């Protein structure tokens, strides 16, 4: 939002997570560094812990060990409220299921993060409209989610993730529900918008083609994060 | 903060626009809950206000009242008391019940010194302002409008009263308006009454007004020093025996019903809020992911609950007032078996009530949203977003341990003694047991469902799987049924038990063919020895057993106890329902009612001395305890021979009459009337008639109970329907998916009906069980402590079976109706909504 402070957008070191004591940990030692303007893809087998990693980075779950640093703030030392406020200001989310509220119009859905931040009405309207135009849905502002296609809904989700210019965008299989053509469109859009916002982006995907749209591709396994061979 | 409030408001309005029906469900539930509570409370209060007003009018505005034995005390005491320092006004009163020549019921007469009484009871005498002089005339009486009405007389007419065995005539000098004096009563000048009613020199009460600035307790102590033994001075209290016991029975009923109303209402609100939040869990999780804090979310949800509460309570209050008005109008005549004399649909509602009930509704809405709101705010966000499932919700609340602890507390509370004669802990126990049952039932139901054999039909299998899977929803469905039905079961068992015990008691108390009574409620008419002999000689009469029944003052502040002197044969007392038999005792035996055990702590085998008045006493040994549904204030039965010998009178005012074989009852009744010549004050009834009348008045006393209970159950059923509808609404996407899978619409509906049926059947089973336990508390704790008499448990199996069937069918129907709406039309498209 404001002038980007120097240093990485995201710094993850030695992260470990285990759900149940009687089972092996999901992963034991994950480290990752994301510079401003960098857009990284993470791949891995199903069940290896990609979504878990994303949740830890977002502060939606707690690691057993290691640290997560977002924009210079150490997430693991924050309480739930602190993490929530950090999320509100600095992060944007795109989910596999679109999670667009059915009872709000397209423009209202996109405005949600700005409303939460207490931005003035006029500015909200202007920024939401600009964001919708940027994702190619400028004319759909007054429509209802039920009237849109899956690809269009995901573009709205992207607009919602970026409208408040977060420093870090987290996307968990954003194209999992889309046809290849829409997928290509959405991925291009996501990359373009993350760059425009000047923050970092983390894309989780199963598709190599999708991963190749990123600057770097990493693979998650029980051993940790490795660059794609 | 302000931004979030604005955002929340916008989200809320958007939800209303998008799905008004969904959003309306909690509002309707809240309105139902508040209307039920409002209606019962308003009826309750109007009735109690009536009792209190009647009591207050009797004692006027006195600060202290000096009392003696029921027979009265010598007026020589009056000047002494009037001169005690600190006493500003002393007003002598003679209160008595006189038997009217042509009426069964006695007339209460209050005789006053008009000049002094005017200072203490301005309301009472204000109306007589112009007629003070008429008041002093020796044979004049003023009647309340009600008394004049019942007696069918107007000013200038004369009424005949019986004093001992002779008649006196009084002129009706005027009427007191119903507003000033709602009960049937006559007012006389005290000197005239003492003379004309044979009470020369006697007072029954002195009302005192304490001088301004004087301390009431100090004055009371000073007055007490002047009182001979057997007299007391105290602040005025509700002390009319009939009034007190009627009001008590009535209070117990209404308190129980108010409890039902409040619990059912509160539960409805809670269930509606919980269901609505359950439905919105994924959307709330999204807001959390977007940066709404836990506290912010919980507060917003609570605030939303308050707003829903305000709207619902406003609607509910208006509906409740209408309901109360209707109830008072429809059943006022039958309230408390006609004990409430002037409850003519006078509903008392003020602006304060509206504020109180609406605020209460708002608080209920907020509180009901608080727990599920906190639950929703603290749920793991990642998980809720992932599956969108609510099965983990309320896991903490649903444990055996909490339910067991609450139930245990309920059991312990049931064992505690009453507080100032009221079964406070009994009611608390019922509340705790109910809550414990609600907490335990889902776990029990879960165990049952887990063992349920898998049915063949796909939709039936789905129904069971859904009940097992979404335990939070299922738990709320069960709880709705349990709350509304178990209390009803408990009330039904209690009333049935009471009725059965009452019938058994009645049959035992009526061994003869005819029952003869003079006057009622301690009237002044009696039969002397000659009269008794005359009755024995009537054609067709085989045997007569005379009794003397009169009040006995054992403790001054308490309601007088009834002393009954009756003939007692070798084998004890066949007309009494003995609950404790102490066997043969030395000396004169006496039997006491259960209330005597509680009120005076008398025990079998104990020796007591009964003060008969006029310096006479009767020493007795307690030989047993009997059940007495006729008087809750306590009664003592002694052998008539011993009573007469001890200096009690030989007159009689009750008798049991056995007829010769073949004698016609109505002929004998007519002959008795002709022979004794007492007119209507003599009441002779056949046993069948007495039995029938008593049962009718018993049923009338419980009419209001049934009416209110029916309303509570109806609203409970509506709650079940609301819960079913809201569940069905929240499962639209699931139905759509099932339709996609190829389930016919008919099959979806069948699945819902089966779910409803199962929920209804298991819920009803649990409710029956819990209701049985609650009825034990009602019968053995609440009833015993309120009325001081025992009841034998009797279960109305037929009624319960019928009610259960109705409930199960209604639950299935509610699920079906809610489901049809949700499964029809655009359900297939609903699968596109990803919640
Ligand atoms: N709340 C939870 N409780 C217990 N185990 C969990 C929980 N969440 C995830 N897991 C387990 O952790 C592992 C990683 O799950 P995660 O969802 O992170 O996988 P993923 O890499 O995102 O898989 P996919 O590519 O299929 O989405 C899985 O084995 C999963 O079963
Ligand atoms: Mg995943």
């Amino acid at each position: 939002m404001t002038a980007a402070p120097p240093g990485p957008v995201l710094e993850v070191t030695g992260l470990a997570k285990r759900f149940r004591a009687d089972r092996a940990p999901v992963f034991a030692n994950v480290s990752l560094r994301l510079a401003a303007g960098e857009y990284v893809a993470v791949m891995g087998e199903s069940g290896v812990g990609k979504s878990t990693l994303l949740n830890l980075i977002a502060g939606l779950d707690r690691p057993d060990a290691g640290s997560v640093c977002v924009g210079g703030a150490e997430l693991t030392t924050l309480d739930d409220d602190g993490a929530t406020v950090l999320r509100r200001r600095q992060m944007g989310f795109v989910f596999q299921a679109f999670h667009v509220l059915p009872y709000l119009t397209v423009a209202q859905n996109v405005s949600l993060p700005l409303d939460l931040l207490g931005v003035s009405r006029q500015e909200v309207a202007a920024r939401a409209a600009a964001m919708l135009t940027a994702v190619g849905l400028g004319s759909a502002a007054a429509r209802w989610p039920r009237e849109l296609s899956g690809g269009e809904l995901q573009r709205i989700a992207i607009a919602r993730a970026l409208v408040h210019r977060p420093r870090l965008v987290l996307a968990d299989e954003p194209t999992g529900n889309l046809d290849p053509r829409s997928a290509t469109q959405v991925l291009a859009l996501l990359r373009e918008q993350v760059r425009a916002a000047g923050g970092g982006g983390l894309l989780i995907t199963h598709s190599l083609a999708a991963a190749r749209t990123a600057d770097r591709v990493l693979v998650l396994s029980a051993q940790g994060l490795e660059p794609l061979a | 903060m302000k931004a979030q409030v604005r955002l929340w408001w916008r989200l809320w309005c958007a939800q209303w626009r998008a799905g008004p029906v969904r959003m309306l469900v909690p509002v309707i539930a809240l309105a139902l809950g508040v209307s039920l509570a409002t209606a019962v409370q308003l009826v309750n209060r109007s009735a109690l206000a009536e009792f209190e007003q009647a009591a207050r009018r009797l004692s006027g505005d006195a600060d202290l009242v000096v009392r003696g034995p029921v027979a009265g005390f010598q007026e020589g005491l009056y000047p002494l008391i009037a001169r005690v320092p600190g006493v500003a006004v002393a007003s002598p009163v003679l209160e008595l019940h006189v038997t009217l020549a042509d009426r069964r019921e006695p007339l209460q007469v209050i005789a006053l010194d008009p000049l002094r009484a005017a200072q203490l009871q301005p309301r009472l005498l204000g109306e007589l302002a112009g007629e003070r002089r008429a008041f002093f005339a020796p044979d004049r009486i003023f009647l309340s409008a009600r008394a004049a009405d019942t007696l069918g007389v107007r000013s200038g007419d004369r009424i005949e009263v019986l004093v001992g065995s002779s008649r006196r005539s009084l002129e009706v000098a005027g009427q007191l308006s119903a507003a000033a004096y709602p009960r049937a009563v006559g007012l006389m000048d005290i000197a005239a009454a003492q003379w004309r009613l044979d009470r020369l020199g006697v007072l029954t009460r002195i009302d005192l007004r304490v001088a301004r600035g004087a301390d009431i307790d100090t004055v009371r102590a000073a007055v007490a020093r002047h009182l001979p033994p057997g007299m007391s001075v105290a602040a005025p209290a509700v002390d009319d025996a009939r009034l007190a016991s009627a009001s008590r029975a009535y209070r117990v009923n209404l308190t129980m019903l108010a409890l039902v109303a409040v619990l059912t209402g509160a539960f409805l609100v809670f269930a509606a809020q919980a269901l609505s939040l359950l439905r919105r869990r994924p959307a709330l999780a999204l807001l959390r992911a977007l940066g709404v804090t836990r506290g912010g979310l919980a507060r917003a949800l609570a605030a939303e609950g308050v707003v829903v509460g305000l709207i619902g309570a406003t609607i509910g209050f208006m509906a409740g007032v209408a309901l109360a008005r209707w109830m008072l109008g429809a059943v006022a005549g039958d309230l408390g078996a006609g004990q409430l004399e002037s409850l003519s649909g006078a509903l008392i509602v003020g602006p304060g009530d509206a504020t109180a009930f609406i605020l209460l509704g708002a608080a209920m809405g907020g509180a009901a949203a608080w727990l599920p709101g906190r639950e929703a705010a603290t749920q793991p966000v990642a998980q809720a977003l992932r599956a969108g499932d609510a099965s983990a919700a309320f896991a903490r609340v649903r444990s055996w341990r909490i339910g067991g602890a609450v139930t245990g507390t309920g059991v312990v509370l049931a064992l505690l003694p009453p507080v100032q004669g009221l079964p406070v802990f009994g009611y608390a126990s019922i509340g705790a047991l109910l809550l414990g049952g609600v907490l335990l039932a889902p776990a029990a139901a879960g165990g049952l469902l887990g063992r349920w054999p898998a049915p063949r039909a796909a939709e039936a299998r789905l129904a069971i799987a859904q009940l097992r899977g979404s335990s939070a929803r299922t738990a709320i469905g069960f709880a709705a049924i349990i709350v509304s039905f178990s209390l009803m079961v408990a009330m039904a068992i209690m009333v049935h038990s009471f009725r059965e015990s009452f019938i058994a008691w009645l049959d035992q108390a009526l061994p003869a063919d005819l029952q003869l009574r003079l006057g009622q409620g301690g009237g002044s008419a009696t039969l002397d020895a000659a009269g008794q002999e005359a009755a024995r000689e009537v054609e067709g009469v085989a045997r007569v057993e005379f009794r003397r029944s009169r009040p006995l003052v054992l403790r001054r502040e308490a309601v007088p106890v009834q002393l009954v002197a009756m003939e007692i044969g070798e084998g004890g007392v066949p007309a009494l329902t003995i609950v404790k038999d102490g066997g043969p005792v030395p000396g004169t035996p006496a039997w006491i009612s259960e209330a005597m055990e509680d009120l005076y702590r008398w025990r079998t085998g104990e020796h007591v001395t009964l003060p008969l008045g006029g310096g006479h006493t009767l020493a007795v040994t307690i030989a047993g305890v009997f059940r007495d549904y006729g008087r809750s204030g306590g009664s003592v039965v002694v052998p008539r021979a011993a009573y007469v010998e001890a200096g009690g009178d030989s007159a009689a005012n009750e008798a049991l009459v056995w007829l010769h074989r073949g004698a016609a009852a109505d002929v004998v009744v007519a002959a008795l009337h002709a022979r004794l010549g007492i007119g209507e004050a003599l009441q002779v009834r056949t046993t069948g008639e007495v039995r029938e009348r008593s049962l009718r008045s018993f049923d009338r006393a419980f009419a209001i109970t049934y009416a209110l209970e029916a309303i509570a159950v109806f609203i409970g059923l509506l709650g079940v329907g609301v819960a079913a509808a809201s569940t069905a609404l929240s499962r639209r996407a699931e139905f759509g998916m099932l339709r996609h899978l190829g389930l016919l619409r008919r099959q979806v509906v069948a699945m819902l009906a089966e779910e409803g049926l199962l929920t209804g059947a298991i819920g009803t089973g649990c409710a029956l069980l819990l209701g049985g336990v609650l009825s034990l508390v009602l019968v053995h704790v609440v009833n015993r402590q309120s009325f001081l008499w025992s009841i034998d448990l009797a279960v109305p199996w037929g009624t319960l079976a019928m009610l259960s069937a109705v409930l199960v069918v209604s639950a299935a129907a509610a699920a079906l109706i809610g489901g049809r709406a949700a499964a029809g039309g655009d359900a297939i498209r609903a699968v596109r909504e990803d919640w």
Side-chain angles (χ1 to χ4, degrees), chain A residues 51-52 55 60-61 80-81 84-85 87-88 93 95 97-104 108 112-113 115-119 121 144-146 148-150 153 160, chain B residues 3-4 6-7 10-11 14-15 17-19 280 282-283 286-296 377 380-386 829 832-835:
Chain A
S51 301
T52 304
N55 288 339
L60 293 173
D61 209 343
D80 186 77
D81 280 6
T84 304
V85 171
R87 205 154 61 226
R88 187 192 299 168
F93 285 93
F95 310 93
F98 321 120
H99 290 324
V100 170
L101 292 175
Y103 45 82
L104 295 183
Q108 284 170 331
L112 269 178
D115 288 335
L116 262 176
L117 288 169
V119 176
R121 246 162 207 269
W144 296 98
R146 60 174 173 275
L148 300 179
S149 77
L153 283 176
R160 184 179 65 192
Chain B
Q4 292 203 20
R6 240 189 306 133
L7 169 66
R10 227 173 306 150
L11 281 177
Q15 292 181 70
R17 272 193 301 274
R280 290 161 57 196
L286 170 70
L287 290 174
R288 288 273 294 129
L290 290 183
V292 176
T293 58
R294 261 181 206 166
V381 178
Q383 209 151 323
L385 272 176
R386 178 196 288 248
R829 274 196 293 137
R832 285 273 323 281
E833 296 172 7
D834 49 0
W835 332 93

Side-chain angles (χ1 to χ4, degrees), chain A residues 45-52 54 96 172-173 204 206, chain B residues 386:
Chain A
E45 286 167 26
S46 182
V48 79
K50 302 181 298 292
S51 301
T52 304
L54 206 71
Q96 177 174 355
D172 191 351
E173 297 185 37
I204 285 175
H206 279 295
Chain B
R386 178 196 288 248

Side-chain angles (χ1 to χ4, degrees), chain B residues 770-789:
Chain B
L770 181 60
V773 173
L774 293 180
S775 76
L776 290 178
V777 179
L778 273 183
V779 164
H780 295 302
V781 180
V782 171
N783 167 78
R784 183 73 171 85
Q785 295 181 359
S786 311
F787 298 105
L788 306 179
W789 58 49

